[in-house]
Amino acid sequence: MKLVPLLVSVIFAFTATLALADDFDDLFPEVELDANNDQPLESESLILQIKHQTGSNFVGELSQSSVLSASWQNRVGLRSRAQADVRLSLDWPTESNHAQNATLIFGDAYLQTTRGNWSTKVGRQTVSWGESDTAIVADVISPRDYSHGMYQDAEYSKLSQWLLDVTHFGNNEQMTMVFIPSARTDRLEIGSQERLVWEPEFAVQVKKTIGKSDWSWILADLKDNQLVNGDLTRYQMAATTVNWAKGNGNLQLEAAYNLNREFVFGSSDQFQGAATYSFLQSGYRTWTAGIAYDRKFALNSPDEQTEIWDTTLSISEHYFNEVLTVGSSSQFQWPTQTMVFQLVVDWDVTDAFRVSIESSYLDDLDDAEFESVEGFLVRVRYVFGS
């Protein structure tokens, strides 16, 4: 493993911060945890949820899947709380795959303990450090589930893994340190098994809050969640995120520089950036626009390299009231010149029962690889518990 400056910084942040807590308190003044930092549970809670979705993918094949999930949490003593999530995912046979896949997936299962302005979580967890909804830039700590393609349920889009999370809270800031003993790969296909690699990952986030806005800085030494040439490769990331709110508008910014990241064409440094702006109009309509940029280099020879870049532009709008939400979104990507259009309708029949309908249209504007294709999805959800 190469000792690069980012790795040294991450290791130093873990060791020095924990060993020199008194000096760290000078940077983050001592405060008592409040509802924004920690939310102790007053009683035991168990929530069960059933989901079923039926849809046609972009190759015209009908597919069905069902999910039964359970989420439990409870206070443990005066300073601790426990949480455990588990779900059973059932993918029904299709025309091309006659096998029925049943997968038991363990979500978050951890114990959280607080003392003063310190919080420690140990167990299976997911990490969410991103801000922009346009692209995944800094939110790369936890692996993802892509097994259902663009119809992947957002609630189950991340996979949990064993990790240690230590957070120190200040008046308007916090510092979170994450240690992951074994890296885990993304889930790319239904029924596929993710790989575990017993190599550690480290990440540190410092977050500052001002009113309704915040920004953060992230340093991380990671194993890539996606296999590259059959292996999980290591890279280092320095990133920053901004969430700026004013009036009815909200601006989300992310930028990341990845050092020596491996791609199918070889290793390259990578710069990624994303910006999303949303505006709430008259309390019942939202407008959202976003842009994302990805830049890296392919080494053709020791003296020649080619720049590879991708830009994504997205626009969406949603109308909503107490029970019904109707939204549309359009996304265009350069240089592939691919366009995706989606129409979504969510109907909250009751507080516990929701029906969602999605229709998608994908088009290669150059017609270089495929003609336009369409897909649809119907999802129902029922929640019960206490």
Side-chain angles (χ1 to χ4, degrees):
M1 183 187 304
K2 297 182 180 180
L3 294 178
V4 299
L6 287 176
L7 175 58
V8 174
S9 300
V10 172
I11 296 176
F12 176 80
F14 272 90
T15 56
T17 301
L18 296 177
L20 303 176
D22 292 339
D23 295 335
F24 186 63
D25 288 340
D26 294 336
L27 298 176
F28 293 88
E30 184 78 16
V31 295
E32 291 297 325
L33 290 178
D34 56 25
N36 293 324
N37 298 329
D38 183 46
Q39 299 179 13
L41 299 174
E42 297 181 356
S43 60
E44 185 177 15
S45 173
L46 175 62
I47 297 177
L48 302 178
Q49 181 173 254
I50 296 176
K51 284 188 177 182
H52 180 81
Q53 66 181 39
T54 300
S56 173
N57 56 26
F58 286 142
V59 296
E61 185 177 62
L62 187 66
S63 62
Q64 298 186 76
S65 62
S66 305
V67 176
L68 173 63
S69 63
S71 178
W72 171 86
Q73 49 188 351
N74 193 19
R75 186 174 62 184
V76 181
L78 297 177
R79 298 181 178 272
S80 304
R81 65 179 178 129
Q83 177 169 330
D85 302 325
V86 65
R87 67 182 184 272
L88 177 63
S89 178
L90 181 63
D91 293 286
W92 301 87
T94 64
E95 294 179 3
S96 61
N97 184 5
H98 299 288
Q100 181 172 290
N101 292 287
T103 307
L104 187 64
I105 303 174
F106 293 95
D108 290 352
Y110 61 83
L111 177 67
Q112 179 178 14
T113 301
T114 61
R115 184 176 182 85
N117 55 349
W118 289 89
S119 173
T120 302
K121 292 194 293 185
V122 181
R124 296 183 66 97
Q125 304 166 60
T126 56
V127 178
S128 298
W129 284 357
E131 294 287 355
S132 176
D133 296 328
T134 302
I136 300 173
V137 177
D139 194 13
V140 295
I141 308 298
S142 295
R144 295 178 179 270
D145 190 342
Y146 296 108
S147 59
H148 291 88
M150 67 181 303
Y151 289 135
Q152 181 68 42
D153 194 332
E155 183 178 358
Y156 306 134
S157 62
K158 287 187 177 182
L159 301 172
S160 65
Q161 55 192 146
W162 294 100
L163 62 87
L164 169 66
D165 179 310
V166 179
T167 301
H168 186 286
F169 295 98
N171 287 325
N172 296 299
E173 56 276 310
Q174 67 184 59
M175 180 174 184
T176 301
M177 299 159 286
V178 173
F179 169 72
I180 304 171
S182 59
R184 183 182 183 184
T185 61
D186 295 332
R187 184 180 183 222
L188 301 180
E189 297 179 355
I190 296 175
S192 64
Q193 296 295 323
E194 304 81 52
R195 283 180 53 182
L196 288 176
V197 180
W198 293 98
E199 292 189 32
E201 297 178 295
F202 308 90
V204 176
Q205 180 200 52
V206 177
K207 190 172 186 177
K208 178 74 174 180
T209 301
I210 300 179
K212 296 181 180 180
S213 305
D214 60 74
W215 70 81
S216 65
W217 301 266
I218 301 169
L219 289 176
D221 183 76
L222 305 169
K223 298 287 284 187
D224 209 317
N225 294 328
Q226 295 189 10
L227 292 174
V228 180
N229 298 324
D231 192 17
L232 283 181
T233 57
R234 184 173 295 276
Y235 71 100
Q236 293 73 41
M237 179 185 72
T240 184
T241 69
V242 176
N243 182 28
W244 180 72
K246 184 175 182 180
N248 292 332
N250 187 69
L251 177 65
Q252 301 168 327
L253 302 173
E254 288 187 46
Y257 190 85
N258 300 317
L259 181 64
N260 197 32
R261 191 172 188 178
E262 193 72 21
F263 300 93
V264 292
F265 54 78
S267 62
S268 170
D269 291 354
Q270 177 189 32
F271 172 78
Q272 294 177 289
T276 305
Y277 182 78
S278 59
F279 182 79
L280 175 62
Q281 178 184 356
S282 304
Y284 63 88
R285 184 181 187 182
T286 58
W287 296 84
T288 304
I291 188 170
Y293 179 72
D294 186 327
R295 181 187 182 191
K296 45 191 174 286
F297 295 91
L299 188 64
N300 300 329
S301 67
D303 300 322
E304 182 183 358
Q305 60 183 10
T306 301
E307 179 183 0
I308 300 176
W309 60 273
D310 293 287
T311 301
T312 302
L313 175 66
S314 63
I315 300 175
S316 65
E317 61 176 317
H318 290 81
Y319 299 86
F320 55 90
N321 57 24
E322 294 181 355
V323 298
L324 189 66
T325 300
V326 179
S328 63
S329 64
S330 301
Q331 187 178 85
F332 182 75
Q333 186 176 30
W334 292 275
T336 59
Q337 297 193 29
T338 302
M339 183 186 72
V340 179
F341 175 80
Q342 281 188 301
L343 178 65
V344 180
V345 178
D346 292 326
W347 177 29
D348 292 319
V349 183
T350 67
D351 291 340
F353 183 50
R354 165 178 284 194
V355 177
S356 300
I357 301 174
E358 299 180 25
S359 178
S360 302
Y361 175 84
L362 175 64
D363 190 8
D364 182 353
L365 300 182
D366 279 344
D367 289 331
E369 298 183 7
F370 53 82
E371 297 180 355
S372 60
V373 290
E374 300 175 354
F376 76 92
L377 175 76
V378 178
R379 179 185 292 130
V380 294
R381 182 200 68 180
Y382 187 80
V383 180
F384 55 97
S386 58

